[in-house]
Amino acid sequence: MALACRICGGAVHSTLFWAMQGTILLSATLFWHALAQARPIARIPALLATMMQMSLLGALIGFAPAPLYSPHWFTTQSWGLTPLEDQQLAGLLMWIPAGLIYLGLTLSTVSRMIRAPRYDGASFRL
């Protein structure tokens, strides 16, 4: 993406950036919709797998020795952060608070499964 920005200017970068944001939003919407429709026994591994992927990516971004995304080079200065500090903050947010959200949802699902009546698997919905 940085190469496209240098070759074609900001318009292409803006188009690619918003296309990327749109695909992220679409995939997240589809994931959460599928998760809401899934049986609880299937929801647990999906939440845990997503939590592990996001935590790993957050740790990799947070501990990277140099900025990974060059278009952010000039956008962090107005916040008083260097690009590396901004990246480390983003990695930390992906790693800890977001991971805790997934863990909380997983534990909530397990708790509801434990407290649910034992009639049959089809009658249990969250």
Side-chain angles (χ1 to χ4, degrees), residues 2-108:
L3 180 60
C5 184
R6 277 184 257 141
I7 292 173
C8 300
V12 169
H13 174 263
S14 179
T15 302
L16 290 174
F17 175 80
W18 288 110
M20 177 187 72
Q21 295 299 316
T23 59
I24 291 170
L25 179 62
L26 178 63
S27 65
T29 302
L30 292 173
F31 171 76
W32 286 104
H33 177 72
L35 201 64
Q37 301 300 315
R39 294 179 57 189
I41 198 71
R43 193 176 300 155
I44 294 168
L47 284 167
L48 290 174
T50 304
M51 179 186 73
M52 289 189 307
Q53 291 172 3
M54 188 139 111
S55 296
L56 177 61
L57 181 59
L60 290 172
I61 289 171
F63 289 117
L68 301 174
Y69 189 64
S70 61
H72 281 199
W73 191 260
F74 298 107
T75 61
T76 61
Q77 304 302 321
S78 61
W79 294 95
L81 298 171
T82 66
L84 183 59
E85 290 170 339
D86 179 64
Q87 177 178 296
Q88 289 170 338
L89 180 61
L92 183 67
L93 290 173
M94 285 179 68
W95 185 14
I96 306 296
L100 289 175
I101 290 170
Y102 282 102
L103 182 60
L105 288 170
T106 303
L107 293 175
S108 173

